[in-house]
């Protein structure tokens, strides 16, 4: 669920041209060209990391077993 949340956030931020900020910052910091696909992939990875943290904490078990 966290993956979809982060991808939705990336999509909403894209309306405000936030991807240009990330792409420009990445170019200045690491001297590498990235695309919009990489922008979404970064948010996907953040979502995967968030899901792993929730899984380790046991939040998924509490959510699904207590319903």
């Amino acid at each position: 669920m966290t993956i979809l949340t982060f991808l939705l956030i990336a999509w909403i931020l894209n309306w405000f041209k936030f991807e240009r900020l990330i792409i420009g910052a990445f170019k200045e910091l690491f001297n590498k060209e990235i695309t919009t696909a990489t922008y979404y992939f970064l948010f996907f990875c953040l979502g995967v990391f968030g899901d792993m943290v929730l899984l380790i904490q046991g939040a998924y078990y509490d959510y699904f077993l207590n319903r």
Side-chain angles (χ1 to χ4, degrees):
M1 189 66 172
T2 309
I3 296 170
L4 293 177
T5 303
F6 272 93
L7 287 174
L8 180 65
I9 290 169
W11 182 59
I12 292 170
L13 288 174
N14 192 24
W15 295 345
F16 303 104
K17 305 299 181 201
F18 187 72
E19 85 280 358
R20 290 183 186 170
L21 176 74
I22 295 294
I23 291 171
F26 200 87
K27 180 176 169 84
E28 285 185 23
L29 289 173
F30 304 110
N31 201 21
K32 297 283 183 183
E33 291 285 336
I34 64 171
T35 63
T36 306
T38 307
Y39 165 76
Y40 283 108
F41 183 71
L42 290 173
F43 278 90
F44 174 81
C45 290
L46 287 172
V48 168
F49 181 72
D51 274 341
M52 289 187 331
V53 168
L54 290 175
L55 184 65
I56 291 170
Q57 288 179 344
Y60 280 131
Y61 299 119
D62 293 340
Y63 180 76
F64 288 114
L65 295 178
N66 291 331
R67 287 203 155 223

